[in-house]
Amino acid sequence: MAAIVVCCGVLAAPAHSAGQPGQQAMRQQDLRQEMRQDMRQDQRQDMRQDQRQDQRQLDPRSYESRAEEQRRAMQENNRNAEMNRRVGRMTADERRDLRRQINEAGAEVYALPPRR
């Protein structure tokens, strides 16, 4: 868009510095071609954006499949959370063994007379 404004300003400028009328005509022709190319590029970009927006519109089948994937992910997360809670807990046998080991270690520490 800015290129079009600059090009129009150049076309409207007086040609007092141009040496030959043929060169000025060639310059104007080149500028017109550049403007056309810029317009084509803008049109292509607009078309691409329209295509992207069309692709983004929800298809009922894709909506259902995404919803199903989300449900599965939620179930998996719930299972993982439950497993993590269980991993942090000790069984009754493990707690007994740990208490026994702590008591044995404490008995060893306190059995030695303190050094002075």
Side-chain angles (χ1 to χ4, degrees), residues 52-105:
R52 287 187 199 123
Q53 287 177 352
D54 290 342
Q55 289 173 351
R56 288 182 192 149
Q57 289 180 352
L58 295 178
D59 179 18
R61 290 173 291 187
S62 66
Y63 176 77
E64 290 172 4
S65 64
R66 275 189 257 132
E68 183 63 30
E69 286 177 20
Q70 234 176 2
R71 279 187 225 113
R72 286 182 191 149
M74 290 296 290
Q75 287 175 350
E76 187 175 321
N77 286 342
N78 289 341
R79 281 189 221 127
N80 289 340
E82 187 177 330
M83 291 301 290
N84 287 338
R85 281 192 302 256
R86 288 185 181 177
V87 169
R89 294 183 179 173
M90 297 173 73
T91 64
D93 291 335
E94 291 171 334
R95 284 194 299 271
R96 261 185 248 119
D97 288 341
L98 183 60
R99 271 193 229 111
R100 183 183 49 79
Q101 291 171 3
I102 291 170
N103 289 336
E104 288 174 0

Side-chain angles (χ1 to χ4, degrees), residues 44 46-56:
R44 287 185 200 129
D46 290 342
M47 287 177 61
R48 287 186 201 123
Q49 287 176 351
D50 291 342
Q51 288 174 348
R52 287 187 199 123
Q53 287 177 352
D54 290 342
Q55 289 173 351
R56 288 182 192 149

